[in-house]
């Protein structure tokens, strides 16, 4: 272990590991469609529980300030969601077989609504702890994820938009005026874009594989509207990119955008599905890449907003590799090294992604053209 230089909050709840995603693989099992039931849905909670258990088994937990989640209130969730959506989720959660977040491929079990409120509440608690100064930064390992949930519709395994709930809480209850979201889940952060489209108080940046999910959003010309014009920044990346393109995107677009917007808090919807072993996307970031991204964004937070940054768990579907990527990120946040290395490095280390290719540079530079719009919108 190295010396700990920061006080890092960490939040997990046993019920996050009880999210019931059903017996389908990605779509619901179906005789007619030839989809046999399977015990591990692609978004099975074991993947996230394995990360939590590695945080414990590695001893990293001893260097973290454990935070405890309470369910978000109905009023907390209604800041960013329509009452009809919230009521439907609660009603379906009372059904013997549960319900669906909204798109028909995002099942949840009986009582799943309560776990969704608990995930949103975990996001609030981590945010409260950082803004109050109780901790310097925090990692909320929450589940179900949230970043695809729009104001009126859950989708993509997401019921409530945990990050948006936390951002709205920070603005309305903690007195902040500007919050930035840096979403590096491999899929588009469509939920916050929908919810904060016209908000001048939220800068929503999403790095994602182009047209991965949702396939019809996340394009560079979606920039926000009304008073929020210029404050949605999409950086769609060509498939196949790895450590190099993500690092370049942070340096060239994300961090300059943050410097222009001057947020008082940075929220990072943190998925590990841009990882090289993920089954739901085709990017090639390795564990050392996620570490590097974490260092870059936390250094930026130190310069821009007194270090106030909260990581909120989103996707990540490799039960093998997510724990490895997540441990690195949380170690980096805590300034602690457990000595547990990326065991897959000998396998994935030579596969590529360390060299910035011309078409990747082009994609990032094109998004860089959006930067003046952020400054001008202030
Ligand atoms: Zn994702």
């Amino acid at each position: 272990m190295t010396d700990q230089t920061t006080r890092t909050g960490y939040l997990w709840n046993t019920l996050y590991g009880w999210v019931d995603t059903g017996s389908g693989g990605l779509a619901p099992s179906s005789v007619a469609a030839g989809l046999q039931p399977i015990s591990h849905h692609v978004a099975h909670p074991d993947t996230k529980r394995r990360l939590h258990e590695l945080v414990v088994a590695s001893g990293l937990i001893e260097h973290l300030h454990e935070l405890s989640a309470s369910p978000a209130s109905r009023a907390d969730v209604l800041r960013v969601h329509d009452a009809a959506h919230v009521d439907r989720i609660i009603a379906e959660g009372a059904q013997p077989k549960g319900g669906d977040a909204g798109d028909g491929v995002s099942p949840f079990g009986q009582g799943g609504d309560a776990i969704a409120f608990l995930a949103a509440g975990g996001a609030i608690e981590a945010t409260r702890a950082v803004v109050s100064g109780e901790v310097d930064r925090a990692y909320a390992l929450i589940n179900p994820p949230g970043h695809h949930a729009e104001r009126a519709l859950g989708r993509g395994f997401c019921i409530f938009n945990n990050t948006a709930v936390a951002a709205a809480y920070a603005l309305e209850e903690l007195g902040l005026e500007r919050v930035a979201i840096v979403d590096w889940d491999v899929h588009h952060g469509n939920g916050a874009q929908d919810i904060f489209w016209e908000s001048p108080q939220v800068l929503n940046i999403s790095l994602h594989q182009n047209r991965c999910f949702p396939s019809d959003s996340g394009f560079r010309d979606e920039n926000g509207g009304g008073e929020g014009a210029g404050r949605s920044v999409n950086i769609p990346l060509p498939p196949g990119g790895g450590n190099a393109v993500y690092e370049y995107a942070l340096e060239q677009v994300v961090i300059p955008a943050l410097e222009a917007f001057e947020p008082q808090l940075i929220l990072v919807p943190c998925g590990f599905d841009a990882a090289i072993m993920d089954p739901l996307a085709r990017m090639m970031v390795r564990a050392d890449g996620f570490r590097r991204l974490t260092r870059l964004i936390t250094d930026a937070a130190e310069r821009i907003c007194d270090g106030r940054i909260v990581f909120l768990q989103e996707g990540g579907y490799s039960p093998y590799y997510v724990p490895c990527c997540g441990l690195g990120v949380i170690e980096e946040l805590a300034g602690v090294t457990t000595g547990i290395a990326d065991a897959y490095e000998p396998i994935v280390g030579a596969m590529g992604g360390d060299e910035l290719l011309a078409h990747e540079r082009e994609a990032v530079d094109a998004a860089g053209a959006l930067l003046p719009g952020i400054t001008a919108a202030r």
Side-chain angles (χ1 to χ4, degrees):
M1 299 280 178
T2 55
D3 286 341
Q4 195 168 359
T5 55
T6 58
R7 202 165 148 81
T8 301
Y10 173 75
L11 185 144
W12 164 258
N13 186 289
T14 299
L15 288 180
Y16 296 155
W18 287 31
V19 171
D20 183 358
T21 43
S23 61
L26 176 55
S29 62
S30 158
V31 174
L35 295 172
Q36 191 179 156
I38 190 166
S39 58
H40 270 63
H41 185 280
V42 74
H44 194 285
D46 272 1
T47 300
K48 287 158 186 173
R49 182 166 43 225
R50 286 165 64 90
L51 168 53
H52 168 67
E53 293 196 356
L54 185 57
V55 168
V56 175
S58 65
L60 180 56
I61 192 84
E62 292 159 27
H63 299 261
L64 302 171
H65 179 84
E66 285 191 74
L67 301 169
S68 176
S70 305
S73 70
R74 181 180 170 85
D76 289 331
V77 175
L78 285 177
R79 288 192 188 98
V80 301
H81 288 293
D82 288 350
H85 173 58
V86 176
D87 289 341
R88 186 183 62 75
I89 294 297
I90 292 171
E92 292 190 9
Q95 298 298 311
K97 292 187 177 176
D100 189 279
D103 60 359
V105 295
S106 304
F108 62 85
Q110 186 179 24
D113 55 319
I115 309 179
F117 275 100
L118 195 60
I124 286 175
E125 171 58 10
T127 300
R128 182 208 60 77
V130 167
V131 173
S132 71
E134 184 181 320
V135 296
D136 298 307
R137 46 183 72 160
Y139 195 101
L141 180 46
I142 51 180
N143 194 44
H147 79 143
H148 293 308
E150 300 172 355
R151 187 170 287 278
L153 180 74
R155 56 194 301 200
F157 318 142
C158 300
I159 299 173
F160 299 141
N161 196 312
N162 306 315
T163 297
V165 167
Y169 185 87
L171 294 169
E172 294 183 28
E173 296 295 323
L174 302 178
L176 300 193
E177 293 171 351
R178 291 180 310 283
V179 175
I181 297 171
V182 178
D183 183 333
W184 70 43
D185 183 286
V186 80
H187 304 105
H188 178 222
N190 61 293
Q193 177 172 296
D194 171 65
I195 291 164
F196 297 119
W197 183 256
E198 295 192 351
S199 172
Q201 293 183 290
V202 178
L203 173 67
N204 186 49
I205 306 174
S206 177
L207 295 135
H208 47 267
Q209 181 184 328
N210 189 34
R211 305 195 68 163
C212 190
F213 181 86
S215 61
D216 60 351
S217 71
F219 304 111
R220 282 191 300 272
D221 61 359
E222 297 163 21
N223 306 131
E227 291 187 7
R231 294 180 180 187
S232 280
V233 175
N234 287 302
I235 313 174
L237 302 170
N243 292 7
V245 70
Y246 273 84
E247 188 170 333
Y248 184 68
L250 253 67
E251 287 173 341
Q252 297 299 314
V253 183
V254 175
I255 292 171
L258 293 171
E259 285 166 346
F261 185 67
E262 296 179 6
Q264 295 154 306
L265 168 72
I266 299 171
L267 302 176
V268 181
C270 174
F272 295 117
D273 39 13
I276 190 164
M277 291 174 70
D278 197 89
L280 289 192
R282 291 295 175 269
M283 303 304 273
M284 298 180 70
V285 181
R286 300 191 311 268
D288 61 341
F290 283 108
R291 267 184 196 273
R292 175 75 181 142
L293 298 180
T294 302
R295 195 172 316 143
L296 286 171
I297 196 82
T298 51
D299 284 353
E302 291 294 337
R303 293 195 305 274
I304 296 165
C305 54
D306 297 325
R308 293 198 283 201
I309 189 163
V310 180
F311 283 57
L312 302 150
Q313 185 67 50
E314 292 290 350
Y317 303 99
S318 168
Y320 311 100
Y321 206 43
V322 163
C324 187
C325 296
L327 187 77
V329 165
I330 302 170
E331 281 189 7
E332 199 66 45
L333 285 176
V336 170
T337 305
T338 64
I340 292 182
D342 175 1
Y344 296 98
E345 175 64 23
I347 300 167
V348 300
M351 288 186 184
D354 292 315
E355 189 187 340
L356 184 65
L357 303 178
H359 67 294
E360 297 169 345
R361 179 189 295 272
E362 230 169 74
V364 173
D365 289 349
L370 300 169
L371 288 170
I374 300 167
T375 310
R378 287 210 58 199

